[in-house]
Amino acid sequence: MTWWVVSTTLFFVPSTTDSFYQPKSSLCVIGALMLLSVPTVSFRGLSNPWIRRLAWWVIIQFSALFVLHQAFRQPIFGIQFSPWTLLPTLLFLTSLWMLEKLGRSTESEQQWVKLADTLCLTGFIIGLVGWADYFGFSQLIRVNPRWNAGSVPSLFGNTMVSMGYLGTLLPLYLIFKPLRYRLGFWFLTVLILLSGSAIGVVAGLMGVLTVLLLTRRYKLLGLTTLLSVGAFFYLLTTHPSFLSITQRPIIWTHVLQAWREVPYTGMGLGAVASRFGFEKQPDLYLPFNQVHNDYLQLLAEIGLIGVILGGLAIGWCLWRTLKEERSILQSGWLAVLASLAVVMVFSFPLEIAPCMMVGLFAWAGLESQLAEGG
């Protein structure tokens, strides 16, 4: 598990759904299938009934849209069956399968502590690369120009994505007591601030506030809130473009119009990239593969039925976790999900394997404690 987390994080550049033929795009699926093929002991069964129902919906939707309608031969809803639609479906189903297997094979919470520690390690490595880019050290060697080396801290081909990833990880550093985690927290916090990434700042702040609230550190929570409100007020008055969302509303309008054609079933996973990724819309500068809002992208692709099932699956887990006594690790996972929820509003973390994995592990960590016999 550790090698897969680290390797997928470091070498997955930049997106999981750009093309099936992009070698790095299949790394997540291949690695996940290899892990899933390893026999493990089942200590307990997941008690969340909605996860399998969501998986079955995706299978039924894929079969109905692309098999029964013979989209191999002719497009349906403007979508031609292709690797654009196959890979996202495989990723979605593989992720849910891994979520269930991680929960069933959990022997003790110590396994999840080790996984959280591994995620902190990957965050530190990404932070080192970001600092190297910030000071221009990476220009001393030949690098992929898509890394934006020497200009802004980035590794996943997009500063917004890489800083959003680090912001999502920030609360995990606060659940460990050793000094190195505190130093790692500030190491990444300063980097995110210097990057100027609004997504990274907001995600990190949301995670920190959530973990402080759940661990009942109210004084520190109040102080952090006051400082944050003051900082944002200053930024909005001096740098009003800091929270600019550029052309996102135009993209959202196009996707909503497409969704209204098939509101209940959706167009199928990967349909947004297939429909809008090859031809520029008149009111946009470029074609787009992602909606920059994962909630809206899921709505367009798996439909209202799929979104409701997904909401029930994650909502059931959150409700059960919040109403019971929690460990500090569970508080950390909840804070990670809170950060990810913010990033999903203006970015596409579910399209980037490392970002998606963080959310998957946080969800699985909570499910493992709720599993039958846990």
Side-chain angles (χ1 to χ4, degrees):
M1 174 66 75
T2 299
W3 68 265
W4 182 64
V5 174
V6 176
S7 62
T8 305
T9 300
L10 297 182
F11 300 111
F12 216 93
V13 184
S15 174
T16 59
T17 57
D18 278 352
S19 170
F20 185 83
Y21 300 105
Q22 188 180 57
K24 293 173 183 177
S25 297
S26 58
L27 176 61
C28 185
V29 171
I30 294 173
L33 290 175
M34 289 175 63
L35 286 173
L36 290 168
S37 66
V38 176
T40 56
V41 178
S42 295
F43 293 95
R44 63 198 76 178
L46 291 189
S47 53
N48 189 337
W50 297 102
I51 295 176
R52 290 194 176 186
R53 293 171 186 173
L54 176 60
W56 275 112
W57 167 249
V58 171
I59 294 172
I60 292 171
Q61 183 208 43
F62 182 83
S63 301
L65 291 179
F66 299 112
V67 179
L68 297 182
H69 283 83
Q70 296 183 334
F72 301 94
R73 300 179 181 177
Q74 58 185 1
I76 177 172
F77 308 127
I79 313 300
Q80 180 77 41
F81 176 82
S82 68
W84 290 88
T85 53
L86 177 60
L87 178 61
T89 302
L90 288 175
L91 284 171
F92 199 97
L93 294 174
T94 302
S95 298
L96 293 179
W97 185 11
M98 177 164 285
L99 170 66
E100 184 173 5
K101 186 166 185 177
L102 284 171
R104 285 191 289 105
S105 60
T106 297
E107 184 176 5
S108 68
E109 192 179 46
Q110 191 59 34
Q111 294 174 242
W112 292 100
V113 173
K114 183 178 180 180
L115 182 56
D117 182 66
T118 301
L119 290 174
C120 289
L121 172 63
T122 62
F124 178 73
I125 296 173
I126 298 298
L128 285 175
V129 176
W131 277 108
D133 284 353
Y134 182 78
F135 288 109
F137 294 155
S138 55
Q139 290 188 357
L140 300 177
I141 58 175
R142 291 181 60 86
V143 294
N144 188 330
R146 296 173 75 180
W147 289 13
N148 299 320
S151 55
V152 286
S154 178
L155 183 65
F156 303 144
N158 188 311
T159 304
M160 172 193 68
V161 173
S162 53
M163 294 301 107
Y165 172 78
L166 294 181
T168 303
L169 287 181
L170 271 186
L172 289 181
Y173 291 86
L174 296 179
I175 67 174
F176 293 101
K177 291 184 178 180
L179 179 61
R180 66 179 182 273
Y181 294 99
R182 298 292 186 267
L183 295 176
F185 172 83
W186 288 109
F187 178 77
L188 297 184
T189 297
V190 174
L191 176 64
I192 293 172
L193 293 174
L194 290 176
S195 74
S197 170
I199 287 291
V201 172
V202 175
L205 179 61
M206 175 59 72
V208 169
L209 293 178
T210 302
V211 80
L212 292 178
L213 175 64
L214 294 176
T215 54
R216 301 177 182 178
R217 288 179 270 186
Y218 298 123
K219 291 183 180 180
L220 190 55
L221 173 65
L223 178 61
T224 304
T225 303
L226 288 175
L227 292 175
S228 302
V229 171
F232 274 104
F233 179 78
Y234 172 78
L235 283 172
L236 290 177
T237 54
T238 58
H239 300 83
S241 62
F242 178 70
L243 295 179
S244 172
I245 57 176
T246 60
Q247 290 193 305
R248 286 173 174 79
I250 302 176
I251 294 175
W252 298 343
T253 301
H254 284 292
V255 174
L256 277 173
Q257 290 174 348
W259 167 72
R260 291 191 181 101
E261 299 174 13
V262 277
Y264 299 107
T265 63
M267 299 182 293
L269 287 163
V272 168
S274 181
R275 180 161 177 168
F276 297 102
F278 299 99
E279 184 176 348
K280 184 183 80 67
Q281 302 300 312
D283 49 356
L284 292 171
Y285 295 121
L286 296 168
F288 62 90
N289 297 331
Q290 292 89 16
V291 183
H292 285 77
N293 182 313
D294 273 340
Y295 301 106
L296 184 54
Q297 181 146 349
L298 286 172
L299 181 64
E301 294 189 342
I302 63 175
L304 189 60
I305 296 174
V307 168
I308 291 174
L309 289 173
L312 288 172
I314 187 66
W316 185 94
C317 175
L318 296 177
W319 173 70
R320 287 284 306 275
T321 302
L322 289 171
K323 78 171 189 174
E324 297 179 3
E325 192 68 26
R326 298 175 301 277
S327 66
I328 190 170
L329 179 60
Q330 287 177 295
S331 297
W333 292 134
L334 286 169
V336 166
L337 290 177
S339 297
L340 189 66
V342 172
V343 178
M344 288 172 62
V345 177
F346 300 107
S347 184
F348 42 91
L350 298 188
E351 309 296 315
I352 307 295
C355 305
M356 177 271 294
M357 285 194 307
V358 174
L360 178 67
F361 292 147
W363 188 2
L366 297 176
E367 289 285 358
S368 68
Q369 301 300 313
L370 302 174
E372 297 175 357

